[in-house]
Amino acid sequence: MLARNFALAGAAVVVSLMVFELALRLLGIGFPVFVWTDPVLGIAHIPGAQGGPVQSNGRPLIEINSDGWRGPEIPLEHPPGTYRIALLGDSFIQAFEVPFEQTAGEVLAHRLSALRGSPVQVLNFGEGGYGTAQELLVLQNHVWKYHPDLVLLAVTTGNDISDNYRPLKRIDYVPYFVYRDTTLVPDTSFLRSRGYLSRAFWTRKLSQLVQHSRVAQLVNSVRSQGRKTGRRQENAEGLPGDELGLRDEVQLPPATADWKEAWRVTEGLLRLMRDECRRNHTPFAVVTLTRGIQVSPLREKKEKFLHDLGAPDLYYAERRIAEFGKREGFPVFNLAPAMAVQAEERHAFFHSAGKKLGYGHWNEEGNRAAGELMASWLAGGLARDSTLESQPNSTAR
């Protein structure tokens, strides 16, 4: 009798889950997962993952190719007559907020193709949450098999500098680089961290279930939101900023030991990326991205922000990286000043988080403005600066 009751209860649970699964599908409710753990990068896209609202062409909004990057499949062989750019960055380059064709990288490719009069291909190596450390590891472990003509690193000044230093990022499941005496070396201790090991179980062991079950996606979403809420509460006093996840202190010269070390590590990582590109006979360039306050069309809001922060302007990080690039021999383009001018002239908001204008990631207009400005800069640089011209590579042609 007891066994029969257990069987009936189990059957009822199964039927309830099936009904709930069907209801979620009929209502179009889902929380697709695109990321799992990676023993080199900490986190990485799940190859082949897809989801989100369906576009007019019948394809999902977000598609991850078989190599784990957003966008279509990319042949390893370098297309003849095509200028191939490897674009590294974080969630701004990944750009899950817009269709792939509207991402800054694709805008850059189309605009630069028109300016050059020859095909340009931009490979999207963007991943949400990455800092310069993980982007260096992407360069070392994933980029070179595609034989790019240029490596372009996108730096999100609002959080990349703090993301590169564990005491400021306060996350244990990703790799960092640390100085041992005067040498910058990778720190792989994250592989033994509680955060990494628990995520490895949930994402690796249960990835297929979460990919195909709406109920499992809902449970995973609730679990993830709980973690994020706990982390926000834990960091509430240590992460000031007008935008969640960004750090206002980066607009000022470093005033604490942690910020001085974060900048030291960041500049060391940029130097390592430059050296990596030189060893592979490929030009290296940097573009700094924007945060909402920098490109707000509301001048009064910017003035209040600067007054409250005690900063003379919004571009300390941009100037510092540009000056570092000049000293170290690689070109740097700062997007924020140029996009700020466009924002005021057009009264345009380039950042949005849902209906909240001026915060969050780039919207369609922001991606378009950034892509077009990068294309104009690269077109001019390719014409006048031999350091941006790739030499013929026998492995690429």
Side-chain angles (χ1 to χ4, degrees):
M1 187 67 177
L2 184 61
R4 182 170 178 270
N5 289 337
F6 273 121
L8 289 173
V13 170
V14 170
V15 171
S16 298
L17 288 174
M18 292 176 64
V19 171
F20 192 25
E21 178 76 26
L22 179 61
L24 290 174
R25 290 180 179 274
L26 290 174
L27 292 170
I29 298 173
F31 303 89
V33 176
F34 300 100
V35 173
W36 61 6
T37 52
D38 183 275
V40 175
L41 300 167
I43 57 172
H45 290 137
I46 301 173
Q50 57 180 263
V54 176
Q55 299 180 58
S56 59
N57 60 8
R59 302 183 66 85
L61 176 67
I62 299 168
E63 294 181 287
I64 306 301
N65 64 32
S66 60
D67 201 29
W69 304 105
R70 189 180 183 193
E73 295 297 318
I74 308 168
L76 297 183
E77 183 179 355
H78 193 298
T82 296
Y83 192 81
R84 178 176 270 188
I85 299 173
L87 178 59
L88 289 82
D90 61 7
S91 52
F92 277 82
I93 299 305
Q94 172 186 262
F96 278 176
E97 297 74 26
V98 297
F100 182 71
E101 294 76 14
Q102 295 175 6
T103 62
E106 286 299 284
V107 174
L108 164 60
H110 291 300
R111 181 60 177 157
L112 189 55
S113 294
L115 292 172
R116 285 172 57 86
S118 59
V120 173
Q121 183 182 43
V122 175
L123 310 187
N124 188 319
F125 290 101
E127 172 78 54
Y130 276 10
T132 320
Q134 287 157 297
E135 290 151 2
L136 170 59
L137 293 170
V138 169
L139 177 62
Q140 294 172 333
N141 292 277
H142 293 273
V143 168
W144 297 124
K145 63 186 175 184
Y146 292 102
H147 312 295
D149 297 298
L150 171 69
V151 171
L152 181 60
L153 172 68
V155 176
T156 302
T157 56
N159 58 24
D160 277 2
I161 290 85
S162 54
D163 280 352
N164 294 330
Y165 191 52
R166 187 193 303 268
L168 293 180
K169 188 174 178 71
R170 299 186 180 186
I171 285 177
D172 67 349
Y173 54 86
V174 298
Y176 296 90
F177 278 70
V178 296
Y179 273 101
R180 303 286 186 235
D181 296 324
T182 58
T183 303
L184 193 59
V185 298
D187 175 6
T188 60
S189 62
F190 75 96
L191 291 168
R192 302 183 295 276
S193 72
R194 179 179 178 182
Y196 179 82
L197 293 174
S198 65
R199 282 169 175 78
F201 172 79
W202 281 100
T203 61
R204 288 282 178 175
K205 301 294 185 183
L206 303 179
S207 63
Q208 290 302 313
L209 176 62
V210 174
Q211 285 296 308
H212 296 99
S213 168
R214 300 294 177 88
V215 173
Q217 289 177 13
L218 179 60
V219 172
N220 183 71
S221 176
V222 172
R223 181 184 63 86
S224 298
Q225 287 301 319
R227 277 179 168 168
K228 290 179 181 177
T229 300
R231 192 160 65 244
R232 288 169 185 168
Q233 291 174 348
E234 177 185 346
N235 293 344
E237 295 182 359
L239 295 175
D242 71 308
E243 298 182 61
L244 185 64
L246 301 187
R247 302 294 296 260
D248 290 348
E249 304 100 310
V250 79
Q251 306 292 343
L252 296 164
T256 67
D258 280 347
W259 274 99
K260 290 176 182 177
E261 187 64 11
W263 270 108
R264 180 182 178 225
V265 169
T266 298
E267 291 172 343
L269 290 167
L270 293 174
R271 191 180 291 114
L272 288 177
M273 295 187 82
R274 177 207 63 188
D275 294 345
E276 176 78 13
C277 289
R278 285 180 177 177
R279 282 192 295 272
N280 285 274
H281 310 290
T282 304
F284 171 61
V286 171
V287 56
T288 63
L289 310 186
T290 66
R291 60 183 300 178
I293 191 64
Q294 289 178 312
V295 295
S296 171
L298 306 177
R299 185 170 295 182
E300 301 81 5
K301 180 180 178 180
K302 289 193 284 190
E303 290 174 351
K304 182 180 186 305
F305 176 86
L306 289 172
H307 177 269
D308 293 345
L309 185 62
D313 59 39
L314 294 166
Y315 306 123
Y316 170 79
E318 284 74 14
R319 279 196 304 275
R320 178 160 178 165
I321 292 172
E323 290 166 1
F324 182 77
K326 180 178 281 189
R327 294 197 306 271
E328 298 293 330
F330 58 84
V332 176
F333 176 51
N334 295 324
L335 274 174
M339 286 181 66
V341 171
Q342 289 191 14
E344 290 199 19
E345 289 178 347
R346 296 159 45 192
H347 197 75
F349 288 91
F350 294 137
H351 293 246
S352 62
K355 295 181 179 180
K356 192 172 184 180
L357 294 175
Y359 295 89
H361 292 96
W362 285 330
N363 52 27
E364 180 183 345
E365 281 193 272
N367 275 277
R368 182 169 59 249
E372 290 177 350
L373 285 167
M374 286 190 283
S376 297
W377 174 64
L378 285 175
L382 290 167
R384 68 175 180 269
D385 190 346
S386 62
T387 64
L388 281 179
E389 282 288 7
S390 177
Q391 298 300 314
N393 186 332
S394 60
T395 62
R397 301 293 189 266

